Amino acid sequence: MNRTLVSALALTALLGAPQVGAEGLAVTAKAGTLGLGLEFSGGFNSYLNARAGINYFDYDFSEEYENIDYDMELKLRSAAGLLDWHPAGGSFRLTSGMLFNENELAAEAKPDGTYEIGDTEYPAALVGDLTGDIDFDAYAPYVGLGWATEHGSDGGFGLSVDLGVAYQGSPDVELAASGPISVDPGFQADLAAEQKALADDLEDYKYYPVVAVGFNYRF
């Protein structure tokens, strides 16, 4: 597991631990758009709750961007520090916080004789392997809402649901070619234009939707 994520999770837990306890401690196993996760939480009182969690998952898919077919690997890696407000003291909550974000995409183009890069077609043999790395801001503010059925209870099992959005910034795209034409200035200019076009295609991902369902136990 990445040291940055582990350190972020530990720091969040340590900051909250001295104050938490009025509403007990809970552990949650969850799954959603951030991947599979494990989360620890505790209440300051009936209205405020702190959570610290970590998420991890890999997912492969294929997609076409700018007339190039790619095999994509989505790598979900994040830790979260969250504060919940239960306005009525019940299960409904409003949440704000921060994701320590290392989500990224790895792309590998599938050659089909030629590549259209920029506005130019290049033989695949000259381009070689065309690969890409796409990542986002390291820190992503989060806002959302949800429900935690065990909140305020004396203990036992419960269900939690989160709906929200994390702002992870515009994608940072880097494309690289391994073939002999990769050092050609004209090709490099076209590759830079392709990077920009791909970043524009992925711009919507700067707002990352968060949906998660979890099962928890409150001690």
Side-chain angles (χ1 to χ4, degrees):
M1 184 67 67
N2 188 285
R3 266 185 221 173
T4 303
L5 297 185
V6 173
S7 299
L9 177 58
L11 178 60
T12 304
L14 287 173
L15 288 174
Q19 305 298 326
V20 169
E23 291 299 309
L25 299 174
V27 60
T28 303
K30 59 196 308 185
T33 56
L34 289 174
L36 301 178
L38 187 65
E39 189 174 82
F40 300 91
S41 62
F44 299 98
N45 52 48
S46 297
Y47 302 96
L48 291 176
N49 188 74
R51 289 187 281 157
I54 197 163
N55 306 287
Y56 184 99
F57 198 69
D58 289 341
Y59 175 67
D60 296 331
F61 63 99
S62 297
E63 191 64 73
E64 179 183 310
Y65 294 108
E66 298 299 313
N67 299 314
I68 297 177
D69 291 324
Y70 289 96
D71 286 329
M72 310 288 290
E73 182 183 13
L74 175 61
K75 301 177 182 180
L76 296 172
R77 312 280 191 275
S78 65
L82 305 172
L83 185 65
D84 300 320
W85 176 43
H86 296 257
S91 62
F92 177 73
R93 65 192 179 195
L94 299 173
T95 303
S96 64
M98 186 72 69
L99 296 183
F100 303 90
N101 179 39
E102 292 192 354
N103 294 338
E104 64 178 359
L105 283 163
E108 183 175 351
K110 297 187 289 186
D112 188 20
T114 61
Y115 290 113
E116 184 178 335
I117 299 174
D119 293 323
T120 308
E121 285 197 357
Y122 293 93
L126 291 180
V127 175
D129 295 327
L130 180 63
T131 57
D133 290 309
I134 302 105
D135 56 23
F136 300 87
D137 292 349
Y139 300 96
Y142 171 83
V143 293
L145 55 82
W147 295 263
T149 61
E150 89 296 346
H151 182 75
S153 68
D154 293 332
F157 291 97
L159 175 70
S160 70
V161 176
D162 283 294
L163 304 171
V165 62
Y167 179 78
Q168 60 181 354
S170 298
D172 180 18
V173 178
E174 291 188 10
L175 293 176
S178 66
I181 204 170
S182 62
V183 297
D184 179 78
F187 176 80
Q188 290 177 349
D190 283 335
L191 192 62
E194 189 73 19
Q195 283 183 171
K196 184 179 183 307
L198 181 54
D200 290 342
D201 283 347
L202 297 170
E203 182 70 12
D204 287 346
Y205 283 95
K206 67 182 180 182
Y207 297 103
Y208 189 82
V210 176
V211 179
V213 176
F215 295 94
N216 48 43
Y217 183 83
R218 182 172 294 278
F219 298 94

